[in-house]
Amino acid sequence: MRHSWLAILIVALSSIAYADASEVIRDCADCPEMKVVPAGSFDMGAVDGDAEAKDDERPRHRVTIAKPFAVGIHEVTRAQFEKFIASTGHDAGNSCHGYEDGKWQGKWEDKEGWSWRRPGYAQEPNHPAVCINWYDAKRYVEWLSKSTGKHYRLLTEAEWEYIAQAGKVSVSHDSANYGAEAHCCTSLAAGKDRWLTTAPVASFAPDALGLYDVRGNVWEWLEDCYNDSYTGASTDGSARTANCSLADRRSVRGGGWGDPGRLLRTTYRLRSPVEGRYFGLGFRVARDLD
């Protein structure tokens, strides 16, 4: 019986070390709601013979994420981002790339006076915050970390593809908010997707992990700098932060409300300048577990 206390302690710790995957974590009233993503391994990148795959989606490689982590159940909303601005006074700019009235004219333009408050179309507080650059997103997670004492951060590119694969969502206008198939940047409302621009977060059913809008609605900033192939990529799910082909670009994933469905593929990659603000680009948070 002398060692029974140790057995009890081990059982107790195993039950609380990581919150149950079905449980929602929220560290403060204004913090994003989070779900635990279990550890695991997966094959990252496009399979051989995928006709839609680009060169930067290869080589396919095995990634092992050794520890569970928490991820926001949806993209950071305008209301959540506004709390950060009110608390810190952070300057999130007064211009944003987009096009008028959702009508694609063949080019993106930097619109003076557009911002996360006024992205060029109407939004409600429960819509995802857009016109956010990478530095804005980084300042937000730093604020959350300081406010809560927890380590908030952006997802790595490997983590994003991991949750996209594990979510097991077949993309359709009944499961995601995206655009027409004909060409880039044409909005479409069809099926349950009745929004021509952003939809309120969690407007569609959650995926197998209990997450919303991993694909569609808005693109999401990631931690990694962009490289034009997976040569030399880590196998542990950590972010690529050096030896990148475009060091001033960061990876973004997921597709958005004006994109054709092929851009919502789990392996499709895009990048953006770190200082770029776009009316279809937001972010989702991650958090390390104790």
Side-chain angles (χ1 to χ4, degrees):
M1 296 296 294
R2 191 173 296 174
H3 63 276
S4 62
W5 65 270
L6 180 58
I8 293 171
L9 179 61
I10 290 172
V11 170
L13 287 175
S14 66
S15 66
I16 65 172
Y18 301 112
D20 186 271
S22 63
E23 180 184 346
V24 173
I25 301 171
R26 198 170 200 178
D27 292 322
C28 67
D30 299 322
C31 293
E33 293 177 311
M34 316 282 285
K35 280 288 189 88
V36 171
V37 176
S41 299
F42 75 110
D43 292 319
M44 183 175 181
V47 297
D48 292 338
D50 184 347
E52 292 189 318
K54 308 298 183 185
D55 290 342
D56 66 355
E57 299 173 36
R58 297 189 175 99
R60 190 170 171 87
H61 56 290
R62 191 71 172 170
V63 174
T64 297
I65 295 175
K67 296 181 180 180
F69 61 96
V71 62
I73 64 171
H74 53 66
E75 294 139 348
V76 172
T77 64
R78 283 174 57 105
Q80 290 166 339
F81 194 74
E82 185 170 22
K83 293 290 186 180
F84 155 67
I85 296 294
S87 176
T88 65
H90 175 75
D91 181 4
N94 194 40
S95 66
C96 180
H97 285 78
Y99 44 89
E100 294 284 354
D101 302 322
K103 296 178 180 178
W104 173 245
Q105 302 297 323
K107 65 177 180 179
W108 289 88
E109 295 180 326
D110 190 27
K111 303 287 188 178
E112 290 294 328
W114 285 19
S115 69
W116 68 272
R117 296 183 187 275
R118 182 178 175 269
Y121 52 85
Q123 285 190 308
E124 299 296 330
N126 62 343
H127 283 231
V130 294
C131 293
I132 306 295
N133 71 21
W134 189 76
Y135 293 119
D136 299 329
K138 291 284 284 184
R139 297 295 88 76
Y140 178 86
V141 295
E142 289 170 4
W143 169 71
L144 281 181
S145 298
K146 183 177 180 180
S147 300
T148 64
K150 308 293 184 180
H151 183 214
Y152 281 85
R153 54 182 177 80
L154 298 180
L155 283 161
T156 70
E157 191 167 11
E159 287 172 339
W160 186 94
E161 191 163 323
Y162 179 56
I163 66 173
Q165 286 192 25
K168 301 178 181 178
V169 172
S170 297
V171 171
S172 74
H173 286 284
D174 287 328
S175 63
N177 175 24
Y178 60 99
E181 296 299 337
H183 53 79
C184 169
C185 315
T186 302
S187 298
L188 178 66
K192 293 180 181 179
D193 174 12
R194 51 190 177 82
W195 296 274
L196 293 176
T197 55
T198 52
V201 297
S203 291
F204 299 89
D207 66 14
L209 295 175
L211 308 177
Y212 300 88
D213 305 320
V214 173
R215 291 187 280 175
N217 216 12
V218 297
W219 293 88
E220 299 177 7
W221 282 111
L222 302 174
E223 183 66 29
D224 304 56
C225 56
Y226 175 79
N227 198 58
D228 57 11
S229 83
Y230 285 135
T231 301
S234 71
T235 59
D236 63 1
S238 58
R240 187 168 199 154
T241 57
N243 301 317
C244 291
S245 53
L246 294 172
D248 63 339
R249 303 288 195 274
R250 292 298 182 273
S251 296
V252 300
R253 291 289 201 104
W257 50 264
D259 297 300
R262 63 181 179 275
L263 272 59
L264 275 64
R265 293 184 298 108
T266 56
T267 60
Y268 185 83
R269 305 178 67 206
L270 199 63
R271 66 273 186 189
S272 177
V274 290
E275 295 181 350
R277 295 185 174 101
Y278 297 88
F279 75 166
L281 176 54
F283 68 108
R284 182 187 306 261
V285 301
R287 175 165 85 72
D288 292 332
L289 297 172
D290 298 331

